[in-house]
Amino acid sequence: MLNNVTAWLDHTAERYPEKTAFSDERKSVTYWELSVQAKAIAAGIVQLGIFKKPVAVFLPKGAGTIISFMAAAYSGNFYTPIDVEMPKKRVQKILEVLESEAVITSSDLVSVFRSYGYEKNIVIFEEAVQGETSEKQIAAVHSKCIDTDILYVLFTSGSTGTPKGVAISHRSVFDYIDFV
């Protein structure tokens, strides 16, 4: 039984390793590459000692963003996308509400993210994706995860001006896929 989207990705990567999982104008990744790269980043997050906590993803839309989303899930955490075009004040409010333990961003966006007053863990995508993967470590994390764990939190505009997060679980994603 699949209780986590990472199990779904692992299953798909085994069955269709060379099939394109995602592509944008800069990069294309197969299911196998998506799995391997996400696990490499996840290993770095696990080493930070973060579990079932929010991980912000501050990258331009594209393959790297998807890889980072899956990295957060492989590490036993949940992700929140933060649009790089978002106004500074909104990002700061989201970070205040989210209380993110880590952010995944690129080397060229670190200073931008730091300008928001963020002082916790920063994972540099280009470096982390080259890291070592520990299947044993990922399996240990996965064994502690259940289908009702949060997969991601999306922030709405908030009618009061304060962004509000909407949490989506792994189970909700599976239910949606089964529905469609």
Side-chain angles (χ1 to χ4, degrees):
M1 179 183 142
L2 301 178
N3 67 347
N4 188 299
V5 297
T6 59
W8 173 84
L9 177 56
D10 288 339
H11 177 73
T12 304
E14 285 175 19
R15 291 186 65 199
Y16 309 104
E18 298 304 317
K19 188 168 181 149
T20 300
F22 191 86
S23 65
D24 61 33
E25 60 277 353
R26 296 176 305 266
K27 184 175 182 170
S28 179
V29 292
T30 65
Y31 282 105
W32 182 256
E33 292 167 329
L34 174 58
S35 173
V36 168
Q37 292 176 23
K39 286 176 182 176
I41 296 170
I45 297 170
V46 170
Q47 288 177 351
L48 295 173
I50 300 168
F51 184 64
K52 293 192 180 186
K53 301 286 184 183
V55 174
V57 176
F58 187 71
L59 292 168
K61 293 176 184 167
T65 306
I66 302 300
I67 293 165
S68 297
F69 291 168
M70 295 307 294
Y74 272 120
S75 70
N77 295 288
F78 58 94
Y79 64 87
T80 294
I82 299 180
D83 190 339
V84 297
E85 301 295 324
M86 208 177 280
K88 181 177 183 175
K89 203 170 207 169
R90 179 164 170 75
V91 172
Q92 288 172 317
K93 284 188 180 245
I94 289 172
L95 291 173
E96 183 181 310
V97 171
L98 187 63
E99 298 179 0
S100 178
E101 291 294 322
V103 62
I104 302 170
T105 192
S106 61
S107 56
D108 60 326
L109 290 172
V110 170
S111 60
V112 174
F113 205 79
R114 286 278 189 216
S115 77
Y116 301 142
Y118 187 79
E119 296 179 2
K120 293 187 180 179
N121 299 296
I122 292 187
V123 177
I124 307 297
F125 178 86
E126 302 90 340
E127 295 170 11
V129 78
Q130 299 298 322
E132 293 292 317
T133 300
S134 170
E135 292 291 336
K136 187 176 180 180
Q137 194 178 48
I138 298 296
V141 167
H142 182 75
S143 72
K144 299 176 198 168
C145 296
I146 59 173
D147 62 345
T148 55
D149 286 342
I150 298 172
L151 173 60
Y152 63 93
V153 173
L154 290 180
F155 279 84
T156 66
S157 58
S159 59
T160 63
T162 302
K164 294 172 185 65
V166 177
I168 307 298
S169 70
H170 292 263
R171 170 60 33 212
S172 294
V173 171
F174 290 133
D175 289 346
Y176 180 75
I177 290 168
D178 289 342
F179 176 75
V180 180

